[in-house]
Amino acid sequence: MSQESAKLVSATRAAAARPVRARTSPAGDRIFSFVLFFASYLVLAVVAGLFIVLLQRSWPAIQAIGPRAFSNLWSPNDAQFGVLSFVYGTIVSSFIALLVAGPIGIGAALFLAELAPRKLATPVAMLIELLAAVPSIVYGLWGLYALAPFVRTYIGPALQHSLGFLPIFQGPIYGVGMLTGGLILAIMVVPTVAAISRDVFEAVPRDQREGMLALGATKWEMMTKAVLPYARSGVIGALVLGLGRALGEAMAVVLVIGNKPQIVASLFAPGYTMASVLANEFSEATGKVYISMLIEIGLLLFVVSLVVNVAARLLVWSASGRGRR
Amino acid sequence: MNLRAKAVRAAWSQFMIVVSGLCAGMCGAVLAIVVAYVIGKGIKAINWTFFTKLPTPVGVPGGGVANALVGSIEIIVMASLAAIPVGVLAGIYLALFGRGRLAALVRFFSDVLTGMPSIAIGMFAYALVVIPTGHFSAVSASVALAVIMLPIVVRTTEEAVRLVPTMIREGALALGIPAWKATLMVTVPVARPGIVTGVLLAVARVAGESAPLLFTAFGSQFWSRGVGQPTAALPLVIYTYANSPYADWQQIAWGCALILVVLVFALNLTARLAFSSRVAAN
């Protein structure tokens, strides 16, 4: 046996004697899984942090103003901080948005999920996603210079002419106002409603449809009597998610709603929302209570959105296979 | 009689199908109208000085938004540096090890966080960074945008990693490669196109955000003097100039809007292409 081969044999024996576990590195794995674990719980920490930090900074206002915050009078110069008109404006503008965007979004989703050929559905779905991608400030700019004049000259007078007996369509039409704000929000909410409803429709089992068709139903009857009832909770979830988006939108609304803290019946009159008051008044806010009060509005907005989104996600999750999306 | 009733039902069905098609068509039409309007108004503002010069006072011609362009990039890059690594790691965790109640909670609150108003997140960054440091800054804006990006990156990464066949990973583990190496060097590279898609979508989402910048970056007429100082950003320029009564300032707002729309659309389409090439490769 040559010296070289003896060396080789001893080296091989040594290698064989080394424990196999040395080649895996449990220490590395432990560090790695700790890092992953930490990163994912950061998400929970952020949500908790949002609440805690906002609560902490709005505490001076909560103490100074207390329940009077829910009065109707907003006049920071006189130390009157009542947010009721903002809450009202948020609810009304979001309601208009849902009223317009709901049927259109669900209709579009039905078309994309059930009726359109694939070749058409893919590009149309992409257009709707791009609609969601347009920055809100761009919608605001467009709303201010294109939609508001259009509401003033066409939509407003037409509504007044046909439905002017209703108090909500009375009074002067400025262009900027609650209605224009609601319409801009509708455009921004439609993609959310359409995309989520479509997912929910596509999760409806084939058997449901085939059974209905086998009974001699038309395509539309199949959709309204088999698909929609099955997907109902998910569609409601989609609408609530849209509501969540409308509630919290600031920049598009602040440019077109008129920014006047008042509660009036007319939809043509200027209004104000929680999000838009933050966008509009924060830079000029002076004094500890004023700033703290605005943060309190932010906290309120956060809590309302949290409740709305939790409800919506629960509905959507239950309808489209939980946790999959 | 029966036949007629059937014909009526069939006609009604056809009619409603057309109506639902119109709903989808309306969405496309609105997009076309908005984009055409922005292009029509914005294209007039776009020229070389627009990209290279600082803003000028009203009436002085030749102003640009170079500082806002740089500021926007600065803020987005810093936000990405914070949000992407954390988001990708969290997404990997959820996809590979995310069983049990706590992981479901993380998943759930990522989705919820996606729906939080960006202006409230801006307030959060204001309260967290601006108040303690004493001034508006690019960093505080990045904190806000990172919070917005995080859940998007988490969920898309999770989806992408979940799509990787377990066999690939198990093959690597069977060869004796430690789990962390198998994850980072086998699973993640396979999932990369999907992860890139998520990252691009997250960047696209925050690139146009203006509400959170109001109380953080604040805006500025000059070059940024560091990440701890007030910084100009494109969306803020739009907001400030949209409200101004001067035509040349409004013109600049439209120019910025056009840049943002082009940027956001490009990011979205690239993301989609990156994803579809992965589908084609499978």
Side-chain angles (χ1 to χ4, degrees):
Chain A
M1 202 186 270
S2 74
Q3 222 177 357
E4 252 123 276
S5 52
K7 228 191 234 166
L8 192 67
V9 166
S10 70
T12 315
R13 280 201 186 124
R18 222 179 289 140
V20 180
R21 283 190 57 83
R23 282 169 58 204
T24 67
S25 75
D29 278 355
R30 241 178 289 140
I31 294 168
F32 185 59
S33 65
F34 177 75
V35 170
L36 291 188
F37 186 83
F38 180 79
S40 68
Y41 292 110
L42 204 63
V43 174
L44 293 183
V46 165
V47 176
L50 268 162
F51 180 75
I52 293 167
V53 168
L54 289 178
L55 182 66
Q56 181 207 348
R57 294 296 176 186
S58 54
W59 197 247
I62 294 174
Q63 277 192 317
I65 296 160
R68 275 179 295 137
F70 290 98
S71 77
N72 187 16
L73 186 64
W74 178 263
S75 177
N77 293 335
D78 314 320
Q80 293 292 333
F81 299 100
V83 301
L84 200 63
S85 59
F86 310 140
V87 175
Y88 172 82
T90 303
I91 293 172
V92 171
S93 61
S94 306
F95 185 71
I96 298 172
L98 273 194
L99 211 60
V100 176
I104 295 178
I106 295 170
L110 276 176
F111 182 73
L112 293 176
E114 309 285 331
L115 307 166
R118 270 258 162 266
K119 267 190 187 156
L120 189 63
T122 315
V124 173
M126 210 163 93
L127 284 183
I128 292 180
E129 274 176 38
L130 287 183
L131 197 63
V134 174
S136 57
I137 185 77
V138 174
Y139 279 126
L141 188 66
W142 179 79
L144 179 61
Y145 287 100
L147 185 63
F150 190 75
V151 168
R152 189 172 53 230
T153 31
Y154 298 103
I155 300 179
L159 283 172
Q160 211 154 50
H161 189 72
S162 52
L163 299 164
F165 57 89
L166 295 171
I168 54 171
F169 294 128
Q170 285 166 3
I173 305 166
Y174 301 103
V176 293
M178 203 67 101
L179 180 67
T180 316
L183 289 178
I184 274 287
L185 286 176
I187 296 176
M188 304 182 64
V189 163
V190 153
T192 310
V193 176
I196 309 262
S197 307
R198 186 190 180 199
D199 286 344
V200 174
F201 290 149
E202 282 177 348
V204 175
R206 265 196 101 71
D207 308 5
Q208 290 280 323
R209 295 171 195 165
E210 284 166 0
M212 199 69 205
L213 289 176
L215 289 173
T218 62
K219 233 176 171 180
W220 181 252
E221 285 165 349
M222 173 199 84
M223 293 190 308
T224 51
K225 294 189 176 137
V227 176
L228 268 180
Y230 196 94
R232 189 168 51 214
S233 69
V235 172
I236 295 172
L239 289 174
V240 179
L241 268 186
L243 175 70
R245 186 157 189 216
L247 290 176
E249 179 46 51
M251 302 311 286
V253 176
V254 73
L255 286 172
V256 299
I257 205 162
N259 301 333
K260 200 168 173 199
Q262 58 178 7
I263 298 180
V264 288
S266 173
L267 298 182
F268 300 134
Y272 227 156
T273 69
M274 288 191 276
S276 62
V277 73
L278 296 183
N280 196 41
E281 296 196 3
F282 198 81
S283 57
E284 50 202 59
T286 48
K288 199 175 169 197
V289 176
Y290 192 179
I291 291 178
S292 177
M293 188 62 214
L294 289 174
I295 298 180
E296 188 183 337
I297 295 175
L299 176 69
L300 189 63
L301 194 59
F302 173 75
V303 171
V304 171
S305 304
L306 195 69
V307 171
V308 165
N309 272 278
V310 165
R313 289 294 171 185
L314 286 176
L315 285 166
V316 173
W317 270 24
S318 68
S320 64
R322 67 181 257 114
R324 286 269 108 190
R325 283 193 63 84
Chain B
M1 190 61 202
N2 209 353
L3 270 180
R4 234 182 100 187
K6 197 174 176 200
V8 169
R9 281 168 53 212
W12 177 246
S13 175
Q14 281 303 320
F15 174 73
M16 289 312 287
I17 287 171
V18 171
V19 169
S20 75
L22 283 179
C23 289
M26 259 168 79
C27 299
V30 168
L31 179 71
I33 291 170
V34 173
V35 170
Y37 202 92
V38 170
I39 293 176
K41 286 268 192 179
I43 200 87
K44 286 176 243 160
I46 305 286
N47 54 41
W48 186 241
T49 50
F50 186 76
F51 290 105
T52 52
K53 289 281 182 342
L54 286 178
T56 52
V58 173
V60 180
V65 293
N67 58 337
L69 264 171
V70 173
S72 269
I73 293 169
E74 183 185 326
I75 292 166
I76 293 169
V77 166
M78 285 195 296
S80 302
L81 286 179
I84 293 170
V86 177
V88 168
L89 288 173
I92 293 172
Y93 175 80
L94 290 181
L96 296 181
F97 315 104
R99 282 163 224 103
R101 198 164 280 172
L102 268 171
L105 211 62
V106 172
R107 212 168 274 142
F108 186 77
F109 276 102
S110 309
D111 281 358
V112 168
L113 192 56
T114 323
M116 287 299 108
S118 57
I119 196 152
I121 293 173
M123 272 266 97
F124 166 69
Y126 172 82
L128 191 72
V129 184
V130 176
I131 295 181
T133 58
H135 41 84
F136 298 105
S137 61
V139 173
S140 56
S142 299
V143 168
L145 295 191
V147 170
I148 298 173
M149 289 176 80
L150 183 65
I152 306 175
V153 178
V154 171
R155 294 299 266 147
T156 45
T157 302
E158 188 198 349
E159 294 266 299
V161 173
R162 219 182 256 286
L163 284 175
V164 177
T166 27
M167 266 198 292
I168 296 182
R169 188 179 151 73
E170 281 164 1
L173 291 175
L175 290 174
I177 295 172
W180 67 271
K181 246 184 185 169
T183 306
L184 288 183
M185 298 179 146
V186 179
T187 309
V188 169
V190 177
R192 197 172 52 211
I195 297 175
V196 170
T197 302
V199 167
L200 288 175
L201 288 178
V203 172
R205 164 81 204 270
V206 296
E209 278 294 350
S210 40
L213 305 186
L214 282 172
F215 341 115
T216 52
F218 195 71
S220 151
Q221 293 292 96
F222 312 102
W223 293 106
S224 161
R225 279 167 303 160
V227 294
Q229 295 295 322
T231 304
L234 284 177
L236 287 179
V237 175
I238 301 180
Y239 180 57
T240 319
Y241 284 5
N243 270 326
S244 84
Y246 311 110
D248 49 345
W249 275 13
Q250 291 167 13
Q251 179 78 16
I252 288 178
W254 284 107
C256 292
L258 178 58
I259 297 176
L260 276 190
V261 167
V262 168
L263 175 74
V264 167
F265 279 17
L267 283 168
N268 265 282
L269 294 176
T270 315
R272 224 150 289 283
L273 282 179
F275 192 65
S276 65
S277 72
R278 190 200 63 81
V279 172
N282 277 4

